[in-house]
Amino acid sequence: MRIIKSIFSWILPIVIGLGLALILKAYIISPVRVDGDSMMPNLQNNEHVVILKTKPIKRLSVVVFNAYKLAPDTNPKTEFVKRVIGIPGDRITYTKTGHLYVNGKYIKQPFISRQQQATGTLSNVNDNGFNLSMLSSKWNRGRQTAVVPKGQYFVMGDNRNISYDSRYWGFVPKSHMEGVVYTFPWDSNRSEINNYG
């Protein structure tokens, strides 16, 4: 009987600890490893970050989402990390000089260089700038829109030259969102991520 009590006394805390860890990972906070260079220079390939699943998604938040059935050639486990540029109801205009306007208001992008704002953002899209109506007419889904639809988001990677994002395939539904990215205190670009979350 003592042996059973002894075993139970050290197994129970382990089981409780594992249960709490699973609940935290499923509903509150989860570790993630960045795969790729689409968020350079602010997030590096193989960098470890966390996603906060209860944090509200705001404009300029960095998020992780499931890209399956959004971006072509993705599988059910494909996750992307990008920055939210437009939230539901937003009108987005990007000028040929690299200026971002949301609902007619100029939005600063201090988290990327002037080159990324101008040539990087416009490369392979439209050198004269773009708006949602222009982009949505190219997504071939039969519906053109001037605003970000309800329950959806427009996202771009910080490394605009190589980022495969909403400019190419469209909006991200809220149901695909995994959470808002936070970096650790020792990360050199922490303010470029955490200040917008």
Side-chain angles (χ1 to χ4, degrees):
M1 194 68 167
R2 268 189 225 160
I3 294 173
I4 292 172
K5 280 185 178 179
S6 177
I7 292 172
F8 189 72
S9 70
W10 63 267
I11 287 180
L12 184 61
I14 292 172
V15 170
I16 291 171
L18 287 172
L20 287 173
L22 290 172
I23 289 169
L24 281 172
K25 187 175 180 182
Y27 300 106
I28 299 172
I29 189 170
S30 182
V32 173
R33 182 182 61 84
V34 176
D35 183 16
D37 297 325
S38 75
M39 286 298 292
M40 294 270 289
N42 299 312
L43 290 175
Q44 313 297 317
N45 184 39
N46 290 321
E47 182 174 348
H48 291 274
V49 297
V50 295
I51 54 173
L52 303 178
K53 300 188 175 192
T54 57
K55 189 85 174 163
I57 298 168
K58 300 186 285 190
R59 195 180 298 116
L60 303 183
S61 293
V62 176
V63 295
V64 170
F65 60 92
N66 187 306
Y68 183 54
K69 294 188 177 177
L70 300 178
D73 303 319
T74 52
N75 64 53
K77 293 185 178 180
T78 302
E79 291 181 330
F80 285 176
V81 56
K82 305 290 179 190
R83 191 178 296 272
V84 174
I85 302 298
I87 61 175
D90 279 350
R91 292 178 178 271
I92 297 169
T93 301
Y94 213 98
T95 70
K96 65 181 180 180
T97 56
H99 292 138
L100 169 65
Y101 291 88
V102 178
N103 303 321
K105 181 182 176 185
Y106 173 66
I107 304 293
K108 292 181 181 179
Q109 301 175 84
F111 42 83
I112 57 174
S113 70
R114 283 294 304 145
Q115 183 180 5
Q116 287 170 308
Q117 290 176 42
T119 56
T121 302
L122 300 173
S123 65
N124 304 318
V125 182
N126 189 327
D127 289 338
N128 291 316
F130 60 82
N131 59 37
L132 289 182
S133 294
M134 293 167 63
L135 292 180
S136 62
S137 67
K138 296 178 182 179
W139 295 333
N140 297 321
R141 295 192 186 154
R143 185 169 168 234
Q144 189 173 344
T145 181
V147 300
V148 180
K150 183 179 180 181
Q152 301 195 47
Y153 300 87
F154 183 87
V155 300
M156 289 194 287
D158 287 354
N159 191 0
R160 306 274 170 82
N161 261 328
I162 67 164
S163 179
Y164 187 43
D165 53 40
S166 287
R167 292 171 293 170
Y168 301 98
W169 40 259
F171 303 110
V172 180
K174 188 171 184 177
S175 60
H176 282 242
M177 290 292 184
E178 301 286 338
V180 175
V181 171
Y182 261 59
T183 59
F184 298 105
W186 53 86
D187 188 306
S188 61
N189 290 318
R190 183 173 185 260
S191 63
E192 307 303 348
I193 303 297
N194 296 1
N195 285 354
Y196 301 98

